[in-house]
Amino acid sequence: AMVYDTTVYIGTSAGGVFSSTKSALVGWKAMPVGLKSGKITALAYTGSYLFAATADSGVYIYTGYVGTDRYWKKINTGLSNLQITSLVAIDSITVMAGTNGGGIFKTINKGANWNAVNNTGLNYFTITGLVKAGNRIIHTSDGVIWASDNNGASWMDFNDANTNNINAYKVSYNAATNEIVIANATGLYISSNSSATSAPVYTSAQTGLPPNTIINSISNNGTSWYLATNNGVF
């Protein structure tokens, strides 16, 4: 899910994208036209363009509507892996996409073409999350957490002993506190000064969670962190 201005967008596992402009989140409108299977894995809004990632057919850009039909355009030129796991908007026309086994791709022209940015430092290619922390891009993967300060031209190790060589599968960035929270195979961790530090320290944020909790998503509102889990919301 994502929010822009007064519109809330949600992506579903098999039914495509829906939007609502109601404060009570009612009156959802389907935005299905052109989305193939509709298996949405991520949404990103650049301030000018809305992008949807799918689990099996790449990335789409929303091109508007005619009457009640919402239209999406497939933008996969250069994407050698169409199993998209994550998206992050960098500026109004620049987007990064993480894939399931193919690493990370970037477009600088709102999807007209993509190029792999699996350069120095990137050696785990199943990407599970992407966030923008100031001018830094941080991603989680099947083995480590990496960061880039040059939009993917190179990547640096962004781990400590609590995260290195451990599958990390969820990440959220809090711009108000400059922190990231990550969920990995051993637990939930928080790290500070995320947009600037070159030596992150991850401390446990597990207290209060029941044993065997599976975290499905992490979000924040600048003040509090929220977890959606198999044991409810925390």
Side-chain angles (χ1 to χ4, degrees):
M2 63 163 295
V3 180
Y4 180 74
D5 195 11
T6 59
T7 303
V8 178
Y9 300 96
I10 61 168
T12 64
S13 61
V17 179
F18 293 79
S19 65
S20 176
T21 57
K22 307 294 184 181
S23 59
L25 294 182
V26 296
W28 290 97
K29 296 180 179 179
M31 305 169 63
V33 180
L35 271 180
K36 303 296 182 183
S37 69
K39 297 177 180 178
I40 309 302
T41 54
L43 296 169
Y45 194 79
T46 67
S48 299
Y49 304 97
L50 178 63
F51 295 82
T54 65
D56 56 0
S57 53
V59 181
Y60 295 78
I61 186 171
Y62 178 56
T63 59
Y65 61 91
V66 176
T68 59
D69 287 333
R70 269 68 176 166
Y71 287 90
W72 296 86
K73 178 184 177 182
K74 183 168 61 177
I75 48 170
N76 288 342
T77 300
L79 278 176
S80 58
N81 185 309
L82 301 184
Q83 299 177 34
I84 312 300
T85 60
S86 48
L87 291 175
V88 65
I90 297 173
D91 59 38
S92 64
I93 59 173
T94 306
V95 177
M96 278 188 181
T99 69
N100 182 18
I104 297 175
F105 292 79
K106 182 176 72 173
T107 177
I108 59 173
N109 49 22
K110 64 178 187 291
N113 61 274
W114 298 82
N115 291 290
V117 288
N118 300 328
N119 302 305
T120 304
L122 194 67
N123 52 13
Y124 287 82
F125 297 102
T126 295
I127 310 303
T128 56
L130 284 164
V131 292
K132 188 174 187 292
N135 293 318
R136 173 172 288 175
I137 304 298
I138 301 171
H139 80 77
T140 50
S141 75
D142 55 336
V144 289
I145 303 167
W146 293 100
S148 175
D149 289 335
N150 49 25
N151 292 339
S154 62
W155 296 90
M156 63 181 176
D157 188 309
F158 208 65
N159 297 275
D160 71 1
N162 287 316
T163 64
N164 196 38
N165 295 319
I166 300 170
N167 175 31
Y169 62 93
K170 295 293 178 185
V171 59
S172 179
Y173 173 68
N174 187 328
T177 62
N178 198 16
E179 296 171 314
I180 60 170
V181 165
I182 68 105
N184 68 16
T186 63
L188 187 72
Y189 296 91
I190 189 168
S191 181
S192 62
N193 197 24
S194 298
S195 68
T197 184
S198 59
V201 174
Y202 295 87
T203 57
S204 177
Q206 196 79 13
T207 301
L209 290 178
N212 302 315
T213 295
I214 299 171
I215 297 170
N216 297 314
S217 69
I218 308 171
S219 60
N220 71 84
N221 64 358
T223 302
S224 300
W225 296 92
Y226 297 89
L227 304 177
T229 81
N230 63 321
N231 289 314
V233 178
F234 294 83

